[in-house]
């Protein structure tokens, strides 16, 4: 069986960008920062000179992110905040904590989860949780931070997916919210009036716990091996036959926040290895 496990980010994995706004008095909020793409984005923002408010419901995972920041040479850049994105009061706490930390300038809505089941069997509580964490929370957090983001010529980056372009079976909640997150991205651009930008990032499969943890379930439901899930289901339509790493995705967020992306507003950074735009 293929050995697929989330890689560890090093400082050398991070692209550093010369941007006069990438300073410690500027704050980047990152949700889902306890692992995977969220952790990598928090670390990449820290390496690029920003102060980071790293938030997640997983307090031990956040502690691990802070430890990793020290290991990559940014020991004081990340402020952890345990919070539940399903709790509107906690969302308000995140916005307030960011404002206390500095000038809220960037927001990375990354937090995600998955549940695999056919529509006819999809549990309501799983659907509601995915919808709440992955679409409702980004809307509410953007709302709570709007005035500060707009005043600071800020930018919101949203984690979308190839599943915001086309869908695969047995992931109805995930598919629905990823299409929705692209709608949120474009709504921010429409209302930001040039003072507040937005973009989304759509990738194929990334080596994160969210992906590796669903391999066995997907294999069982499809009646195939884990290797076949990776090679045929996940990468079968891709022209690039390797998963992305969290660091590669984090670098896209940093680029999207930077001055080099001033004309990226409402757009989607589609890095899918050819999954959605090519066919055999």
């Amino acid at each position: 069986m293929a050995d697929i496990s989330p890689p560890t980010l090093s400082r050398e994995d991070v692209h550093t960008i010369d941007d006069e706004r990438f300073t410690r008095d500027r704050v980047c909020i990152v949700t889902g920062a306890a692992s995977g793409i969220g952790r990598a984005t928090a670390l990449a923002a820290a390496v690029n000179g920003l102060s980071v408010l790293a938030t997640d419901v997983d307090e031990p995972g956040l502690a691990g992110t802070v430890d990793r920041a020290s290991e990559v040479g940014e020991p004081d850049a990340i402020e952890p905040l345990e919070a539940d994105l399903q709790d509107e009061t906690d969302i308000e706490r995140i916005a307030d904590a960011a404002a206390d930390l500095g000038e809220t300038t960037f927001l990375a809505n990354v937090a995600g989860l998955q549940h695999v089941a056919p529509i006819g069997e999809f549990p309501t509580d799983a659907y509601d949780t995915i919808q709440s964490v992955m679409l409702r929370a980004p809307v509410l957090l953007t709302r709570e931070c709007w005035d500060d983001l707009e005043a600071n010529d800020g930018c919101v980056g949203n984690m979308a997916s190839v599943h915001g372009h086309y869908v695969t079976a047995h992931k109805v909640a995930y598919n629905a919210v990823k299409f929705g997150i692209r709608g949120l991205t474009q709504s921010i651009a429409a209302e930001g009036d040039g003072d507040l930008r937005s973009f989304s990032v759509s990738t194929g499969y990334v080596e994160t716990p969210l992906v590796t943890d669903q391999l066995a379930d997907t294999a069982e439901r499809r009646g195939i091996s884990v290797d076949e899930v990776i090679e045929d289901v996940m990468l079968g339509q891709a022209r690039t036959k390797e998963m992305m790493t969290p660091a590669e995705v984090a670098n896209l967020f940093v680029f999207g926040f930077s001055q080099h992306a001033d004309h990226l507003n409402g757009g989607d950074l589609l890095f899918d290895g050819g999954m959605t735009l090519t066919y055999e």
Side-chain angles (χ1 to χ4, degrees):
M1 186 178 73
D3 179 19
I4 298 294
S5 56
T8 301
L9 178 144
S10 68
R11 191 178 182 93
E12 290 69 30
D13 295 323
V14 177
H15 293 170
T16 53
I17 296 177
D18 184 15
D19 191 309
E20 63 181 10
R21 295 196 305 161
F22 284 4
T23 60
R24 286 285 183 252
D25 60 340
R26 301 273 187 170
V27 178
C28 178
I29 302 170
V30 182
T31 70
S35 66
I37 295 169
R39 173 179 286 183
T41 301
L43 294 171
V47 169
N48 272 277
L50 292 164
S51 289
V52 179
L53 182 71
T55 186
D56 202 295
V57 72
D58 178 6
E59 187 174 19
L62 284 176
T65 300
V66 173
D67 289 343
R68 287 295 302 141
S70 295
E71 292 168 13
V72 300
E74 303 297 337
D76 302 316
I78 295 181
E79 179 72 23
L81 178 66
E82 181 186 4
D84 183 353
L85 292 177
Q86 297 185 80
D87 185 333
E88 190 167 350
T89 300
D90 276 11
I91 289 174
E92 293 170 358
R93 283 201 304 116
I94 294 169
D96 290 342
D100 289 342
L101 196 59
E103 299 178 14
T104 306
T105 308
F106 306 109
L107 168 60
N109 287 306
V110 181
L113 61 153
Q114 181 62 279
H115 187 90
V116 179
I119 293 174
E121 302 172 10
F122 210 93
T124 301
D125 59 345
Y127 180 88
D128 288 345
T129 299
I130 289 172
Q131 187 83 8
S132 180
V133 171
M134 295 175 62
L135 186 55
R136 178 179 179 270
V139 172
L140 297 187
L141 190 51
T142 300
R143 181 191 70 188
E144 293 304 313
C145 296
W146 185 275
D147 289 345
D148 287 338
L149 289 167
E150 190 175 41
N152 295 324
D153 292 321
C155 184
V156 178
N158 294 315
M159 190 67 216
S161 170
V162 292
H163 293 96
H165 294 261
Y166 75 174
V167 306
T168 53
H170 301 161
K171 298 178 182 177
V172 62
Y174 192 88
N175 295 332
V177 299
K178 290 306 186 183
F179 272 82
I181 207 74
R182 292 190 62 206
L184 168 62
T185 301
Q186 293 170 32
S187 296
I188 295 168
E191 297 185 31
D193 200 27
D195 296 319
L196 172 53
R197 285 193 303 112
S198 64
F199 66 92
S200 56
V201 176
S202 290
T203 66
Y205 291 92
V206 183
E207 294 179 72
T208 67
L210 181 65
V211 169
T212 58
D213 289 350
Q214 66 182 275
L215 291 174
D217 193 11
T218 302
E220 181 180 357
R221 288 198 171 273
R222 290 176 178 260
I224 58 178
S225 70
V226 168
D227 282 349
E228 288 172 317
V229 171
I230 296 167
E231 295 167 8
D232 299 333
V233 178
M234 291 184 171
L235 299 177
Q237 289 184 230
R239 300 301 181 253
T240 304
K241 298 300 183 181
E242 294 179 353
M243 294 189 196
M244 290 183 74
T245 67
E248 289 174 320
V249 184
N251 286 329
L252 295 177
F253 274 94
V254 173
F255 168 78
F257 289 144
S258 78
Q259 62 186 351
H260 302 294
D262 281 349
H263 291 274
L264 176 64
N265 198 5
D268 181 67
L269 296 175
L270 178 61
F271 278 63
D272 69 344
M275 289 178 69
T276 63
L277 301 179
T278 61
Y279 63 93
E280 295 178 342

